[in-house]
Amino acid sequence: MLTSASRHGLATLLLLVALALLPPALNALGEPFYIGLGTRVLIFAIAAVSLDLILGYGGMVSLGHAAYLGVGAYTVGILSFYGVQNGFVHFLSAAAISALVALAIGANSVRTTGIHFIMISLAFGQMLYYLAVSVSQFGGDDGLNIDAQSAFGGLDLGDPTSLYYVSFCILVVVLFGLDRLVNSRFGMVLRAVKSNEPRVRTIGFSPYRYKLTAFVISGTICGIAGALLANQNLFISPASMHWGRSGEILIMTILGGMGTLSGAVVGSVVYISLEYFLSRLTEHWQAVMGPLIVLVVLFAGGGLVALLAGRRVAGAGSR
Amino acid sequence: MLDISGLSAGYDGSQVLFEVDLSIARGEVVTLLGRNGMGKSTLINTIAGILRPSAGQIRFDGAVIKGLPSYRVARHGIGLVPEGRQVFPNLTVRENLCATAADRFGQTKPWTIEAVLELFPGLSPRLESPGRLLSGGEQQMVAIGRALLTNPKLLILDEATEGLAPLVREEIWRCIERVKAMGQAILITDKNVKALSRIADRHYFLEKGRIALCCGSGALLDNPELRQRYLGV
């Protein structure tokens, strides 16, 4: 008899195997176009998983998470603008600058909780959005075209399949790394902070340090997702940093199931697939998507992961 | 080890404690007694750094801890088992214990999870159960184990057996006696005078936020008027 944790691990493994087999399956079906859609799913899955670290495990509801997606993407765009094409420089810079931005924002915002944290994260996110709008040198409101993908020697990110597998590998590393993190002592304290912050203090831990560390790790990972997004679109605009985009990442995380990591991947698969296919059926696709999300939230407290497992609570959302 | 002098504290301008003096020596077990609303939990919260005092001094092991944030007070060696237990519901029993384990003072025989499980054998089969699924007694065992794993110099138990079944209470008292026998200094509040008089060395009585009396267990047991006046029992 498998334990809940074993079932969850097995389901995650099956999900990753399915994602790994997607490009050859699509090629076999003569639908290689959808590899690009799959890449978009993976990129947003990385962003949603990063949000899950602070939302599902740290209890921090961020409405400004897309800011890091934009910072990562703009880092690649601006480096390309100045003729730097080295992929290692692109991705390391995207991660480092996102980490610094997350550190600056987190140092101020993680002192707060609840509605105050939501408002501060929203305010910082929108500040960066308007900063991107105002910098006309890099396209301002119109956005910035990127001449070519990041160069990694023999690896051509211009090839949709290569970009898919690079995104997939990063997602696997992120999932594995964060799974280790949330089950480490650091993760235990972070989850304890989510449940009872004052109590954690009386045990001898400063919740601030734990929350800030998680916030910076989360922002860094989301910045890497932004670098991938810039490589996929070869275009970056302030819209990627708008709070509406943060809301979408939040919905993906909640839809799949907070505090599960793999739930964020499921949420991304479902949200982006529905967005794509519903928008082809009707221009009023949001009118269908909205009620669907409401139904999942109402009838699957632990998100789609818990719903698929046939139970409401599986540690999901409450970890 | 703990020296409190002239301590005053309260909530939002409403003073609850008035010039409290209290001391606890190493290895000593001291109780805080008094009717509901007399300031026992307020005093404990002030010692633990949850509440900032308005006046007075708190020294612990030679250091001034008055006004320090609660996590720094805990790092000085004060382990708190709060009223209501407050086990982390989203962490398993093992995680509740692992998350807090710390040997900050390089003790010769620090508390380990194995030692806590030996003290509370009932927790062993529940190690992988989330805190939210534990009974009140099990939660209290986890709360005490969690505090012990910080290897405190002073263990504070606020309402140690409140809301527990009589058999569970007895088990908790037995465990506290074992911890005392190891030389652990303890400050306890509870309503079970009989058990407290068996375990504790001294008793402080709080009345309307002031220390009204300090006596030994003999005086507490032999003087029904004293119990009636300060405890209503």
Side-chain angles (χ1 to χ4, degrees), chain A residues 185 191 199 201 204 318, chain B residues 71 75 80 90 95 101 146:
Chain A
R185 190 171 173 199
R191 285 183 276 144
R199 185 75 200 100
R201 280 197 205 97
S318 60
Chain B
Y71 72 89
R75 287 177 189 177
L80 173 65
N90 55 341
E95 289 173 334
R146 191 173 60 181

Side-chain angles (χ1 to χ4, degrees), chain B residues 4 9 18 32 36-37 41 46 70 120 123 129 131 140 149 154 162-163 167 169-170 175-176 199 232:
Chain B
I4 296 172
F18 299 87
L32 264 181
N36 286 340
S41 292
T46 310
S70 50
F120 299 114
L123 289 181
S129 301
Q140 185 66 339
L149 279 164
L154 172 65
E162 189 187 35
L167 281 175
R169 283 184 190 178
E170 275 313 306
C175 292
I176 293 172
I199 292 169

Side-chain angles (χ1 to χ4, degrees), chain A residues 195-212:
Chain A
S195 123
N196 192 337
E197 194 168 326
R199 185 75 200 100
V200 170
R201 280 197 205 97
T202 60
I203 292 169
F205 295 103
S206 165
Y208 177 76
R209 292 179 191 173
Y210 286 83
K211 288 168 76 177
L212 182 59

Side-chain angles (χ1 to χ4, degrees), chain A residues 19-309:
Chain A
L19 288 171
L21 294 176
L22 189 67
L26 290 171
N27 280 322
L29 291 168
E31 298 282 3
F33 165 77
Y34 289 112
I35 293 174
L37 184 67
T39 306
R40 187 172 170 80
V41 165
L42 294 176
I43 291 169
F44 278 93
I46 295 167
V49 168
S50 76
L51 178 63
D52 197 24
L53 174 65
I54 58 167
L55 174 67
Y57 295 92
M60 293 175 263
V61 184
S62 172
L63 261 183
H65 212 60
Y68 309 108
L69 201 67
V71 168
Y74 265 102
T75 303
V76 171
I78 292 169
L79 285 170
S80 294
F81 180 80
Y82 286 111
V84 179
Q85 293 299 341
N86 187 299
F88 294 103
V89 174
H90 280 186
F91 277 74
L92 287 174
S93 301
I97 293 171
S98 301
L100 284 174
V101 172
L103 180 65
I105 293 175
N108 292 290
S109 58
V110 302
R111 291 182 194 280
T112 62
T113 55
I115 190 71
H116 303 287
F117 180 82
I118 295 173
M119 295 314 294
I120 284 187
S121 66
L122 175 64
F124 276 116
Q126 287 301 95
M127 271 170 57
L128 289 173
Y129 166 78
Y130 284 112
L131 178 68
V133 167
S134 66
V135 183
S136 55
Q137 189 182 4
F138 302 121
D141 205 14
D142 295 329
L144 177 67
N145 284 310
I146 302 169
D147 293 333
Q149 274 89 2
S150 307
F152 281 100
L155 184 65
D156 178 17
L157 292 188
D159 171 39
T161 306
S162 299
L163 185 60
Y164 181 93
Y165 279 114
V166 167
S167 305
F168 176 75
C169 290
I170 291 174
L171 175 63
V172 171
V173 169
V174 165
L175 279 174
F176 179 75
L178 290 186
D179 185 64
R180 295 293 300 268
L181 186 74
V182 298
N183 287 303
S184 68
R185 190 171 173 199
F186 173 90
M188 290 176 204
V189 176
L190 185 67
R191 285 183 276 144
V193 167
K194 179 191 176 189
S195 123
N196 192 337
E197 194 168 326
R199 185 75 200 100
V200 170
R201 280 197 205 97
T202 60
I203 292 169
F205 295 103
S206 165
Y208 177 76
R209 292 179 191 173
Y210 286 83
K211 288 168 76 177
L212 182 59
T213 305
F215 194 86
V216 172
I217 292 170
S218 175
T220 307
I221 295 169
C222 196
I224 293 169
L228 288 168
L229 192 65
N231 273 282
Q232 185 182 36
N233 295 339
L234 288 180
F235 174 74
I236 177 67
S237 80
S240 65
M241 308 169 88
H242 191 261
W243 76 270
R245 178 56 52 85
S246 297
E248 286 176 2
I249 300 171
L250 195 63
I251 289 169
M252 289 173 203
T253 311
I254 296 168
L255 190 65
M258 290 184 294
T260 59
L261 296 178
S262 59
V265 182
V266 172
S268 309
V269 171
V270 171
Y271 184 90
I272 292 173
S273 302
L274 279 175
E275 182 188 49
Y276 178 79
F277 291 108
L278 287 176
S279 64
R280 297 189 77 186
L281 293 174
T282 169
E283 60 182 296
H284 305 295
W285 60 273
Q286 292 98 333
V288 182
M289 179 81 101
L292 276 176
I293 292 167
V294 170
L295 285 173
V296 170
V297 171
L298 282 177
F299 295 106
L304 288 169
V305 165
L307 194 66
L308 291 171

